[in-house]
Amino acid sequence: MTETRVGLIEFGKAIHDSVTVPGLGELPGGQVSAGRAVRGARARLRRGDRIVEDNLRLGIVVRKKYFSSDVEPVTDAGFLKDVFVAVGRRDLGNGDALELYTDDAAGPDMSRPEGAASVVAPAFEPLTGFHAQVHVREGILRFGALCSSTRGGQPMRVLGLFGPAGPLEELSSGQVGTVLLGFQCDAPPMAGDTLTAFPSPEFVEQRDGTAVVHGVSDLGQGAVVAAVEVPEGRSAAFTVGVSVRVLRPIGTTFNERSTVVAAGLPVLSLARDGIAVRTTAGSRVFTVGLGTRDLRQNDVIEAYVPSSPPLSPPPLPPVAAADLVDLVDVNAAPADELGRLPGLSPSRVATALELRRRQGSFPDVEAFGVAIGLQPHEIVRLRGRATAGRVALPETGVRQLDI
């Protein structure tokens, strides 16, 4: 992964909610609560526990001058500084946050253009950056739209649209107006260039919270169980099967950043107070099982649900009938069937039956193996031979792993 979280701007924490910029209007104000706000950075709009839009751009950044009501452009602002920004949305308000990041590999979906405009007369202002008079040749050019230029470079956001009477929401085919691009341009616009506009989805993902890793136990074969804690004042609801990212903090408090070292990892198991559970809602300390070995103390795991399910994996090649193995359900199989599983001695079978009688069932094969005392290499041998059937579970169950 190449994504690095470089900063966070929270709205509602600045001394002033907005400032007026000549020729542009009001810009909302926020406080840099982590890292740095760097002009031109990509941004996600976080509203509560949802990411409602991605691939915004920090196109204009200004600050109020000391002892004055005037504003001045800045290229970046550090920790706890107030800034006023243009990103291509008019609805930023108290409680919203812009998550700033860089990512050289992943870009927005720009496969469905909805408009194209020719640059007629480009211009530049020291306070608001690049703007240009344009003529829309086809489709629609909207305020806030993603756009690309024939001169190349990173995708940009339309930070403002203006006609003779003032701000506009869109320009239709055949219309002429002024488009504001700010300081996003990798190459200055020139007469004859084409700006192609693209729609942007308004919901990206649901965030279910974060937890900080305090200790890691390696199960072997690419899996770990980690002891984690939800930060004070935060809430999180991890669920077995949900996807998580692993964020690795770098830098200092005044320039804090986090690199995404893994994404799309499913939560294999959860335990609270040593008892396996399906969800950790309301709990601050618990253990989580993940299918990765690249996990360290002080890493942060972030649970999320994408707006649409991931693409189905390609179909598996056909399996010969002779190669098919009936999986043993550790939540329902009798003693003789459990005894045929690798590593299950009579004493371990007896332990499994007793735990199953007292506590109902096991959430997965890994939790079953840990509960009856199997070693990591023995748990690996169970994969492909056993399964854990779905049952109605209370919020208690099998003992898992204490760290």
Side-chain angles (χ1 to χ4, degrees):
M1 301 293 294
T2 60
E3 178 183 325
T4 300
R5 308 265 177 96
V6 297
L8 186 71
I9 301 174
E10 294 186 286
F11 295 88
K13 293 188 174 183
I15 296 176
H16 303 281
D17 288 337
S18 65
V19 296
T20 300
V21 177
L24 179 57
E26 280 196 336
L27 290 186
Q31 185 183 86
V32 181
S33 57
R36 300 186 69 83
V38 180
R39 192 169 67 186
R42 289 166 68 177
R44 300 184 180 102
L45 174 55
R46 195 171 75 193
R47 184 163 286 162
D49 57 2
R50 294 163 64 92
I51 302 296
V52 298
E53 192 164 3
D54 199 353
N55 291 294
L56 298 167
R57 292 289 296 277
L58 213 58
I60 295 174
V61 182
V62 302
R63 296 195 64 205
K64 284 182 67 70
K65 292 182 178 180
Y66 288 111
F67 309 112
S68 170
S69 59
D70 295 335
V71 297
E72 59 183 350
V74 293
T75 57
D76 67 286
F79 185 55
L80 297 184
K81 299 295 185 182
D82 290 355
V83 292
F84 304 87
V85 299
V87 296
R89 289 186 69 113
R90 303 190 200 278
D91 60 344
L92 298 180
N94 293 355
D96 289 345
L98 289 175
E99 183 179 271
L100 311 177
Y101 68 99
T102 61
D103 191 337
D104 296 330
D109 178 10
M110 306 186 77
S111 60
R112 297 175 292 110
E114 66 174 6
S118 298
V119 175
V120 178
F124 178 82
E125 293 288 342
L127 186 61
T128 57
F130 293 100
H131 54 95
Q133 187 182 47
V134 298
H135 174 256
V136 180
R137 299 198 312 263
E138 56 185 88
I140 296 176
L141 181 63
R142 306 179 193 273
F143 168 80
L146 273 167
C147 63
S148 64
S149 169
T150 50
R151 298 179 64 78
Q154 291 287 324
M156 299 174 286
R157 285 281 179 167
V158 174
L159 304 177
L161 279 177
F162 304 91
L168 301 171
E169 285 300 315
E170 62 182 44
L171 289 171
S172 301
S173 179
Q175 290 186 312
V176 175
T178 299
V179 59
L180 176 62
L181 298 174
F183 295 91
Q184 307 172 77
C185 306
D186 294 329
M190 299 186 68
D193 288 352
T194 296
L195 297 178
T196 305
F198 303 86
S200 177
E202 289 227 342
F203 170 55
V204 182
E205 66 186 33
Q206 173 86 17
R207 295 274 177 89
D208 289 334
T210 61
V212 180
V213 175
H214 290 306
V216 179
S217 179
D218 193 337
L219 294 179
Q221 297 296 315
V224 298
V225 172
V228 300
E229 181 177 9
V230 178
E232 191 72 40
R234 304 283 181 87
S235 62
F238 285 68
T239 305
V240 173
V242 74
S243 294
V244 300
R245 297 184 183 94
V246 177
L247 309 176
R248 185 153 297 155
I250 53 179
T252 64
T253 301
F254 296 101
N255 192 19
E256 182 182 346
R257 296 168 291 159
S258 296
T259 298
V260 179
V261 297
L265 297 174
V267 171
L268 302 177
S269 60
L270 292 166
R272 185 171 61 226
D273 298 325
I275 304 300
V277 293
R278 290 290 186 184
T279 180
T280 62
S283 176
R284 290 194 60 237
V285 180
F286 55 93
T287 62
V288 58
L290 297 176
T292 180
R293 299 184 72 179
D294 187 13
L295 196 65
R296 306 176 187 173
Q297 186 173 348
N298 296 324
D299 282 352
V300 175
I301 56 174
E302 176 181 81
Y304 67 98
V305 180
S307 60
S308 58
L311 295 176
S312 300
L316 297 174
V319 180
D323 296 331
L324 294 175
V325 177
D326 289 332
L327 298 179
V328 174
D329 187 347
V330 297
N331 288 330
D336 59 335
E337 291 186 22
L338 290 176
R340 289 197 290 269
L341 290 173
L344 264 73
S345 62
S347 63
R348 284 172 169 170
V349 170
T351 300
L353 293 175
E354 176 62 17
L355 286 172
R356 201 168 70 186
R357 182 188 68 80
R358 287 192 291 109
Q359 301 175 349
S361 65
F362 304 94
D364 50 46
V365 172
E366 287 75 13
F368 169 79
V370 170
I372 65 173
L374 295 182
Q375 297 299 310
H377 70 278
E378 294 176 306
I379 295 175
V380 171
R381 290 170 59 198
L382 283 182
R383 296 170 183 169
R385 296 288 302 277
T387 186
R390 287 182 173 272
V391 294
L393 279 179
E395 278 300 298
T396 58
V398 55
R399 181 148 182 107
Q400 189 161 10
L401 183 63
D402 295 327
I403 296 181

